[in-house]
Protein backbone atom coordinates (compact mmCIF):
# COMPACT_ATOMS: atom_id res chain seq x y z
CA UNK A 1 0.00 0.00 0.00
CA UNK A 2 1.17 3.52 -0.76
CA UNK A 3 2.42 5.34 2.31
CA UNK A 4 0.13 8.30 2.79
CA UNK A 5 1.37 9.31 6.24
CA UNK A 6 2.45 12.70 4.89
CA UNK A 7 -1.25 13.53 4.92
CA UNK A 8 -2.41 14.44 8.41
CA UNK A 9 -5.17 16.85 7.47
CA UNK A 10 -7.82 15.25 9.67
CA UNK A 11 -5.46 15.01 12.62
CA UNK A 12 -4.49 18.63 12.06
CA UNK A 13 -8.15 19.65 12.06
CA UNK A 14 -8.71 17.75 15.29
CA UNK A 15 -5.73 19.45 16.93
CA UNK A 16 -7.01 22.99 16.45
CA UNK A 17 -10.54 21.96 17.45
CA UNK A 18 -9.12 20.34 20.60
CA UNK A 19 -7.14 23.49 21.45
CA UNK A 20 -10.27 25.64 21.03
CA UNK A 21 -12.22 23.24 23.25
CA UNK A 22 -9.61 23.56 26.00
CA UNK A 23 -9.88 27.35 25.73
CA UNK A 24 -13.67 27.12 26.15
CA UNK A 25 -13.22 24.83 29.16
CA UNK A 26 -10.85 27.18 30.96
CA UNK A 27 -12.55 30.44 30.01
CA UNK A 28 -15.87 29.11 31.29
CA UNK A 29 -14.36 28.97 34.75
CA UNK A 30 -13.84 32.74 34.72
CA UNK A 31 -17.59 33.34 34.39
CA UNK A 32 -18.91 30.50 36.55
CA UNK A 33 -20.84 33.00 38.68
CA UNK A 34 -23.21 33.56 35.73
CA UNK A 35 -25.90 31.21 34.43
CA UNK A 36 -24.10 30.80 31.13
CA UNK A 37 -20.85 30.09 32.93
CA UNK A 38 -22.44 27.54 35.24
CA UNK A 39 -23.95 25.75 32.24
CA UNK A 40 -20.62 25.72 30.42
CA UNK A 41 -18.68 24.48 33.44
CA UNK A 42 -21.19 21.67 33.95
CA UNK A 43 -21.17 20.58 30.31
CA UNK A 44 -17.55 21.09 29.24
CA UNK A 45 -15.54 19.41 32.01
CA UNK A 46 -14.82 16.50 29.65
CA UNK A 47 -13.01 18.85 27.26
CA UNK A 48 -9.92 18.30 29.41
CA UNK A 49 -9.63 14.89 27.68
CA UNK A 50 -8.86 16.62 24.40
CA UNK A 51 -5.32 16.83 25.77
CA UNK A 52 -5.17 13.04 25.40
CA UNK A 53 -5.95 13.51 21.72
CA UNK A 54 -2.81 15.67 21.54
CA UNK A 55 -0.83 12.78 22.97
CA UNK A 56 -2.16 10.31 20.36
CA UNK A 57 -1.44 12.74 17.52
CA UNK A 58 2.04 13.34 18.92
CA UNK A 59 2.83 9.63 18.98
CA UNK A 60 1.66 9.19 15.39
CA UNK A 61 3.56 12.19 14.01
CA UNK A 62 6.75 11.49 15.98
CA UNK A 63 6.73 7.87 14.76
CA UNK A 64 6.18 8.98 11.16
CA UNK A 65 9.14 11.37 11.33
CA UNK A 66 11.63 9.61 13.59
CA UNK A 67 10.98 5.86 13.68
CA UNK A 68 14.17 4.24 12.45
CA UNK A 69 16.11 7.51 12.91
CA UNK A 70 16.95 7.37 16.63
CA UNK A 71 19.29 4.41 16.84
CA UNK A 72 22.48 6.05 18.16
CA UNK A 73 23.37 8.73 20.74
CA UNK A 74 23.85 11.45 18.12
CA UNK A 75 20.46 10.90 16.48
CA UNK A 76 18.75 10.64 19.86
CA UNK A 77 20.33 13.92 20.92
CA UNK A 78 19.20 15.57 17.69
CA UNK A 79 15.67 14.26 18.16
CA UNK A 80 15.37 15.49 21.74
CA UNK A 81 16.91 18.85 20.86
CA UNK A 82 14.38 19.37 18.07
CA UNK A 83 11.52 18.55 20.38
CA UNK A 84 12.83 21.05 22.94
CA UNK A 85 13.35 23.65 20.21
CA UNK A 86 9.67 23.34 19.38
CA UNK A 87 8.10 23.43 22.83
CA UNK A 88 10.60 25.08 25.16
CA UNK A 89 10.86 28.73 24.00
CA UNK A 90 7.16 29.50 24.45
CA UNK A 91 7.02 27.49 27.66
CA UNK A 92 9.92 29.52 29.04
CA UNK A 93 8.37 32.79 27.85
CA UNK A 94 5.01 32.12 29.51
CA UNK A 95 6.75 30.87 32.64
CA UNK A 96 8.77 34.10 32.75
CA UNK A 97 5.53 36.08 32.50
CA UNK A 98 4.14 34.34 35.58
CA UNK A 99 7.41 34.54 37.49
CA UNK A 100 7.37 38.30 36.91
CA UNK A 101 3.79 38.35 38.13
CA UNK A 102 4.72 36.31 41.20
CA UNK A 103 7.47 38.81 42.03
CA UNK A 104 5.03 41.70 41.53
CA UNK A 105 2.62 40.02 43.95
CA UNK A 106 5.42 39.40 46.44
CA UNK A 107 6.42 43.07 46.46
CA UNK A 108 2.82 44.32 46.53
CA UNK A 109 2.90 45.80 43.01
CA UNK A 110 -0.01 43.57 41.94
CA UNK A 111 -2.70 41.66 43.77
CA UNK A 112 -4.62 38.45 43.16
CA UNK A 113 -7.21 36.30 44.89
CA UNK A 114 -5.23 33.15 44.11
CA UNK A 115 -1.71 33.58 45.48
CA UNK A 116 -1.29 29.80 45.77
CA UNK A 117 -0.98 29.63 42.00
CA UNK A 118 2.33 31.50 41.96
CA UNK A 119 4.63 29.79 44.49
CA UNK A 120 8.31 30.33 43.73
CA UNK A 121 8.97 27.01 45.47
CA UNK A 122 7.52 25.23 42.43
CA UNK A 123 10.01 26.82 40.04
CA UNK A 124 12.65 24.06 39.90
CA UNK A 125 10.22 21.55 38.36
CA UNK A 126 8.81 23.96 35.78
CA UNK A 127 11.95 24.78 33.73
CA UNK A 128 13.01 21.13 33.94
CA UNK A 129 9.60 19.99 32.61
CA UNK A 130 9.12 17.63 35.54
CA UNK A 131 5.84 19.03 36.87
CA UNK A 132 3.64 16.33 35.31
CA UNK A 133 5.35 13.58 37.25
CA UNK A 134 4.79 14.66 40.84
CA UNK A 135 3.96 18.35 40.91
CA UNK A 136 2.57 19.81 44.10
CA UNK A 137 -0.34 21.52 42.32
CA UNK A 138 -1.25 23.36 39.13
CA UNK A 139 0.78 26.55 39.12
CA UNK A 140 1.99 29.33 36.82
CA UNK A 141 0.91 28.61 33.21
CA UNK A 142 -0.76 25.39 34.29
CA UNK A 143 -1.59 23.89 30.83
CA UNK A 144 2.17 23.36 30.50
CA UNK A 145 1.77 20.16 32.52
CA UNK A 146 1.06 18.46 29.18
CA UNK A 147 4.45 19.62 27.84
CA UNK A 148 6.07 17.87 30.78
CA UNK A 149 4.03 14.76 29.96
CA UNK A 150 5.01 14.91 26.29
CA UNK A 151 8.67 15.35 27.17
CA UNK A 152 8.41 12.22 29.30
CA UNK A 153 7.17 10.37 26.21
CA UNK A 154 9.88 11.89 24.01
CA UNK A 155 12.60 10.69 26.36
CA UNK A 156 11.15 7.18 26.23
CA UNK A 157 10.60 7.23 22.45
CA UNK A 158 14.09 5.94 21.48
CA UNK A 159 13.51 2.88 23.69
CA UNK A 160 10.04 2.44 22.20
CA UNK A 161 11.49 2.75 18.69
CA UNK A 162 14.18 0.14 19.34
CA UNK A 163 11.60 -2.24 20.80
CA UNK A 164 9.09 -2.02 17.96
CA UNK A 165 11.75 -2.10 15.26
CA UNK A 166 12.53 -5.65 16.34
CA UNK A 167 8.88 -6.67 16.63
CA UNK A 168 6.19 -4.13 15.85
CA UNK A 169 3.53 -6.23 17.59
CA UNK A 170 5.16 -5.31 20.90
CA UNK A 171 3.67 -1.83 20.58
CA UNK A 172 0.31 -3.35 21.59
CA UNK A 173 1.82 -4.33 24.93
CA UNK A 174 3.28 -0.83 25.26
CA UNK A 175 -0.24 0.56 24.95
CA UNK A 176 -2.02 -1.96 27.16
CA UNK A 177 0.49 -2.45 29.98
CA UNK A 178 0.86 1.25 30.95
CA UNK A 179 -2.92 1.60 30.88
CA UNK A 180 -3.32 -1.45 33.13
CA UNK A 181 -0.57 -0.19 35.46
CA UNK A 182 -2.30 3.19 35.72
CA UNK A 183 -5.61 1.49 36.48
CA UNK A 184 -4.05 -0.78 39.11
CA UNK A 185 -2.31 2.13 40.82
CA UNK A 186 -5.47 4.25 40.77
CA UNK A 187 -7.48 1.40 42.27
CA UNK A 188 -4.88 0.61 44.94
CA UNK A 189 -4.43 4.21 46.05
CA UNK A 190 -8.01 5.38 45.62
CA UNK A 191 -6.90 8.33 43.50
CA UNK A 192 -9.82 8.02 41.10
CA UNK A 193 -9.69 7.75 37.34
CA UNK A 194 -6.20 8.09 35.86
CA UNK A 195 -7.78 10.02 33.00
CA UNK A 196 -7.90 12.89 35.52
CA UNK A 197 -4.19 12.83 36.39
CA UNK A 198 -2.51 16.17 35.62
CA UNK A 199 0.29 17.47 37.83
CA UNK A 200 0.47 14.21 39.76
CA UNK A 201 0.94 11.42 37.25
CA UNK A 202 0.08 13.31 34.08
CA UNK A 203 3.18 11.88 32.42
CA UNK A 204 1.91 8.34 33.03
CA UNK A 205 -1.54 9.30 31.75
CA UNK A 206 0.08 10.43 28.49
CA UNK A 207 2.08 7.26 27.81
CA UNK A 208 -0.74 4.91 26.66
CA UNK A 209 -2.10 7.62 24.33
CA UNK A 210 1.34 8.41 22.90
CA UNK A 211 2.03 4.71 22.33
CA UNK A 212 -1.39 4.34 20.71
CA UNK A 213 -0.33 6.98 18.20
CA UNK A 214 2.87 5.03 17.51
CA UNK A 215 0.81 1.84 17.11
CA UNK A 216 -1.50 3.54 14.62
CA UNK A 217 1.52 4.52 12.55
CA UNK A 218 2.98 1.01 12.64
CA UNK A 219 -0.33 -0.59 11.66
CA UNK A 220 -1.46 2.19 9.32
CA UNK A 221 -1.83 -0.18 6.37
CA UNK A 222 -4.21 -2.41 8.32
CA UNK A 223 -6.12 0.62 9.65
CA UNK A 224 -6.53 1.90 6.09
CA UNK A 225 -8.22 -1.40 5.15
CA UNK A 226 -10.84 -1.16 7.90
CA UNK A 227 -14.41 -0.75 6.65
CA UNK A 228 -15.13 2.90 6.02
CA UNK A 229 -18.05 4.43 7.90
CA UNK A 230 -18.87 7.75 6.20
CA UNK A 231 -19.05 10.64 8.65
CA UNK A 232 -17.82 8.54 11.58
CA UNK A 233 -15.10 10.98 12.71
CA UNK A 234 -17.36 14.01 12.65
CA UNK A 235 -20.31 12.20 14.23
CA UNK A 236 -18.25 10.75 17.07
CA UNK A 237 -16.56 14.11 17.68
CA UNK A 238 -19.92 15.89 17.79
CA UNK A 239 -21.32 13.23 20.13
CA UNK A 240 -18.34 13.62 22.45
CA UNK A 241 -18.64 17.40 22.54
CA UNK A 242 -22.39 17.42 23.14
CA UNK A 243 -22.87 14.36 25.34
CA UNK A 244 -19.48 13.54 26.83
CA UNK A 245 -20.29 15.24 30.13
CA UNK A 246 -22.80 12.46 30.86
CA UNK A 247 -20.25 9.65 30.45
CA UNK A 248 -17.67 8.38 32.96
CA UNK A 249 -14.18 9.76 32.38
CA UNK A 250 -12.71 6.46 31.24
CA UNK A 251 -15.52 6.02 28.72
CA UNK A 252 -14.80 9.52 27.41
CA UNK A 253 -11.12 8.66 27.16
CA UNK A 254 -11.90 5.62 25.01
CA UNK A 255 -14.06 7.83 22.78
CA UNK A 256 -11.14 10.26 22.36
CA UNK A 257 -8.87 7.36 21.38
CA UNK A 258 -11.49 6.21 18.86
CA UNK A 259 -11.84 9.70 17.36
CA UNK A 260 -8.08 9.94 16.87
CA UNK A 261 -7.88 6.46 15.33
CA UNK A 262 -10.72 7.15 12.89
CA UNK A 263 -9.06 10.42 11.88
CA UNK A 264 -5.84 8.49 11.23
CA UNK A 265 -7.81 6.04 9.07
CA UNK A 266 -9.17 8.95 7.03
CA UNK A 267 -5.67 10.39 6.61
CA UNK A 268 -4.15 7.05 5.66
CA UNK A 269 -6.73 6.69 2.88
CA UNK A 270 -6.54 10.40 1.95
CA UNK A 271 -10.26 10.86 2.54
CA UNK A 272 -11.76 14.22 3.32
CA UNK A 273 -14.22 14.62 6.17
CA UNK A 274 -16.35 17.56 7.19
CA UNK A 275 -13.43 18.68 9.34
CA UNK A 276 -11.17 19.13 6.32
CA UNK A 277 -13.99 20.28 4.04
CA UNK A 278 -14.57 23.23 6.36
CA UNK A 279 -10.81 23.88 6.42
CA UNK A 280 -10.11 23.47 10.13
CA UNK A 281 -6.75 21.94 9.24
CA UNK A 282 -5.60 25.28 7.78
CA UNK A 283 -5.39 26.70 11.29
CA UNK A 284 -3.56 23.77 12.86
CA UNK A 285 -0.23 25.59 13.01
CA UNK A 286 -1.74 27.83 15.70
CA UNK A 287 -2.60 24.91 17.99
CA UNK A 288 0.42 25.13 20.27
CA UNK A 289 0.40 28.93 20.42
CA UNK A 290 -3.29 28.99 21.29
CA UNK A 291 -2.91 26.29 23.91
CA UNK A 292 0.04 27.91 25.67
CA UNK A 293 -1.12 31.53 25.48
CA UNK A 294 -4.79 31.23 26.42
CA UNK A 295 -4.19 31.34 30.18
CA UNK A 296 -1.76 34.32 30.09
CA UNK A 297 -4.32 36.15 27.91
CA UNK A 298 -7.04 35.26 30.41
CA UNK A 299 -4.87 36.57 33.25
CA UNK A 300 -4.47 39.91 31.48
CA UNK A 301 -7.99 40.33 30.06
CA UNK A 302 -10.28 38.30 32.34
CA UNK A 303 -8.51 38.84 35.65
CA UNK A 304 -6.66 42.15 35.68
CA UNK A 305 -8.63 43.81 32.87
CA UNK A 306 -11.95 42.73 34.31
CA UNK A 307 -11.30 44.53 37.61
CA UNK A 308 -11.58 47.91 35.93
CA UNK A 309 -13.80 47.09 32.95
CA UNK A 310 -16.29 44.44 34.07
CA UNK A 311 -18.27 46.71 36.49
CA UNK A 312 -18.99 49.08 33.60
CA UNK A 313 -20.03 46.45 31.03
CA UNK A 314 -23.63 45.16 30.64
CA UNK A 315 -22.60 41.51 30.88
CA UNK A 316 -19.71 42.06 33.24
CA UNK A 317 -16.80 39.68 32.77
CA UNK A 318 -18.87 37.59 30.34
CA UNK A 319 -18.65 40.44 27.83
CA UNK A 320 -14.87 40.23 27.96
CA UNK A 321 -14.76 36.58 26.82
CA UNK A 322 -14.99 37.51 23.09
CA UNK A 323 -12.33 40.17 23.70
CA UNK A 324 -10.02 37.58 25.23
CA UNK A 325 -10.60 35.24 22.27
CA UNK A 326 -9.72 37.97 19.76
CA UNK A 327 -6.61 38.91 21.75
CA UNK A 328 -5.66 35.22 21.90
CA UNK A 329 -6.00 34.82 18.12
CA UNK A 330 -3.79 37.85 17.47
CA UNK A 331 -1.23 36.82 20.10
CA UNK A 332 -1.08 33.27 18.69
CA UNK A 333 -0.45 34.48 15.15
CA UNK A 334 2.23 36.89 16.34
CA UNK A 335 3.89 34.29 18.57
CA UNK A 336 4.09 31.68 15.81
CA UNK A 337 5.41 34.05 13.18
CA UNK A 338 7.80 36.25 15.14
CA UNK A 339 8.83 34.14 18.11
CA UNK A 340 8.29 30.37 17.89
CA UNK A 341 9.34 29.76 14.28
CA UNK A 342 12.45 32.00 14.45
CA UNK A 343 13.51 30.49 17.78
CA UNK A 344 13.02 26.95 16.50
CA UNK A 345 15.08 27.64 13.38
CA UNK A 346 17.81 29.34 15.40
CA UNK A 347 18.06 26.53 17.94
CA UNK A 348 18.01 23.76 15.31
CA UNK A 349 20.62 25.53 13.19
CA UNK A 350 22.77 26.08 16.27
CA UNK A 351 22.66 22.37 17.06
CA UNK A 352 23.51 21.42 13.47
CA UNK A 353 26.44 23.84 13.41
CA UNK A 354 27.65 22.48 16.72
CA UNK A 355 27.76 18.87 15.55
CA UNK A 356 28.67 19.74 11.96
CA UNK A 357 25.74 17.97 10.31
CA UNK A 358 22.83 18.95 8.20
CA UNK A 359 19.21 18.51 9.14
CA UNK A 360 17.89 15.22 7.72
CA UNK A 361 16.08 15.88 4.44
CA UNK A 362 12.93 13.97 5.41
CA UNK A 363 12.47 16.02 8.56
CA UNK A 364 13.33 19.33 6.92
CA UNK A 365 10.75 18.71 4.21
CA UNK A 366 7.99 18.54 6.75
CA UNK A 367 8.17 21.41 9.25
CA UNK A 368 6.79 20.40 12.61
CA UNK A 369 4.08 22.91 13.50
CA UNK A 370 2.26 20.54 15.80
CA UNK A 371 1.08 21.54 19.20
Amino acid sequence: MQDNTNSTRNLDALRIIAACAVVILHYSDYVKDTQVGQFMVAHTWHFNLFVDLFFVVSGFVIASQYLGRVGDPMSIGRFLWRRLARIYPLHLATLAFYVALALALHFGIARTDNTARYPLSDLPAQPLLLHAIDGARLTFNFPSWSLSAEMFCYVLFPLIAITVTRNKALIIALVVLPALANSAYAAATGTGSWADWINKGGAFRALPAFNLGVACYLFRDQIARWPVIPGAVTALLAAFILAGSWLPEMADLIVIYAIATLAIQSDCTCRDTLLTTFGFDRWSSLTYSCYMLHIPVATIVLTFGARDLAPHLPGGRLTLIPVAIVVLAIASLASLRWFENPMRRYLNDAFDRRIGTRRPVAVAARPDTRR
Side-chain angles (χ1 to χ4, degrees):
M1 172 174 277
Q2 182 181 359
D3 188 355
N4 293 317
T5 53
N6 283 335
S7 173
T8 57
R9 291 184 62 206
N10 288 283
L11 286 180
D12 290 342
L14 281 179
R15 288 195 296 113
I16 191 62
I17 291 171
C20 292
V22 172
V23 172
I24 292 171
L25 168 68
H26 291 153
Y27 281 13
S28 298
D29 195 58
Y30 284 86
V31 291
K32 61 186 177 184
D33 56 339
T34 67
Q35 282 190 326
V36 173
Q38 290 170 6
F39 177 86
M40 293 301 295
V41 168
H43 294 88
T44 62
W45 65 264
H46 59 295
F47 286 7
N48 77 89
L49 294 170
F50 274 115
V51 178
D52 296 272
L53 187 145
F54 292 144
F55 298 143
V56 179
V57 175
S58 181
F60 184 86
V61 175
I62 292 298
S64 70
Q65 291 185 341
Y66 291 102
L67 205 60
R69 293 176 173 268
V70 286
D72 59 82
M74 186 65 71
S75 62
I76 292 171
R78 183 184 295 111
F79 161 69
L80 292 175
W81 182 267
R82 275 162 167 69
R83 299 321 312 144
L84 281 172
R86 177 63 185 114
I87 68 175
Y88 201 73
L90 190 55
H91 168 57
L92 196 60
T94 57
L95 178 59
F97 168 79
Y98 279 110
V99 170
L101 179 56
L103 292 173
L105 294 171
H106 178 75
F107 290 108
I109 301 172
R111 59 185 178 85
T112 181
D113 298 329
N114 187 15
T115 55
R117 187 175 148 192
Y118 311 106
L120 296 178
S121 60
D122 278 9
L123 274 182
Q126 295 270 343
L128 295 174
L129 290 172
L130 296 175
H131 50 301
I133 297 177
D134 191 27
R137 51 196 175 278
L138 291 176
T139 55
F140 300 102
N141 189 25
F142 62 84
S144 69
W145 74 267
S146 67
L147 304 189
S148 173
E150 288 227 22
M151 199 65 211
F152 176 76
C153 296
Y154 297 155
V155 170
L156 292 179
F157 177 73
L159 293 176
I160 296 168
I162 292 171
T163 301
V164 301
T165 298
R166 296 172 180 171
N167 183 353
K168 73 176 184 179
L170 290 175
I171 192 62
I172 304 302
L174 296 180
V175 175
V176 174
L177 292 179
L180 291 177
N182 288 348
S183 299
Y185 180 85
T189 58
T191 55
S193 167
W194 57 267
D196 196 40
W197 291 355
I198 299 179
N199 55 306
K200 284 188 176 293
F204 304 102
R205 163 185 169 180
L207 191 57
F210 182 86
N211 287 344
L212 175 61
V214 177
C216 287
Y217 175 76
L218 288 169
F219 291 99
R220 60 197 182 279
D221 290 352
Q222 291 87 336
I223 292 173
R225 289 194 291 267
W226 287 355
V228 174
I229 304 174
V233 178
T234 309
L236 195 57
L237 176 63
F240 175 81
I241 290 172
L242 297 175
S245 60
W246 283 285
L247 293 176
E249 269 188 318
M250 290 308 297
D252 277 330
L253 182 62
I254 292 171
V255 173
I256 282 290
Y257 288 173
I259 291 169
T261 304
L262 289 173
I264 288 168
Q265 183 196 32
S266 297
D267 283 333
C268 288
T269 54
C270 293
R271 285 188 295 109
D272 279 327
T273 65
L274 282 178
L275 304 181
T276 55
T277 300
F278 285 120
F280 287 109
D281 55 303
R282 297 174 187 172
W283 302 98
S284 63
S285 61
L286 295 175
T287 300
Y288 181 62
S289 313
C290 177
Y291 181 79
M292 287 297 290
L293 292 174
H294 76 279
I295 294 300
V297 167
T299 298
I300 295 169
V301 177
L302 301 179
T303 299
F304 295 121
R307 288 177 184 167
D308 295 325
L309 298 176
H312 307 290
L313 296 173
R317 185 178 282 175
L318 187 62
T319 308
L320 291 175
I321 294 289
V323 176
I325 291 173
V326 171
V327 171
L328 175 61
I330 295 171
S332 297
L333 284 164
S335 173
L336 180 67
R337 181 172 181 178
W338 290 306
F339 179 66
E340 296 167 60
N341 284 342
M343 285 299 300
R344 182 169 73 253
R345 287 193 294 266
Y346 172 79
L347 291 170
N348 286 340
D349 290 345
F351 183 91
D352 289 342
R353 288 194 302 270
R354 178 74 178 234
I355 64 172
T357 61
R358 293 183 179 180
R359 180 183 303 180
V361 175
V363 175
R366 185 180 177 188
D368 183 5
T369 55
R370 288 181 312 107
R371 174 206 155 273

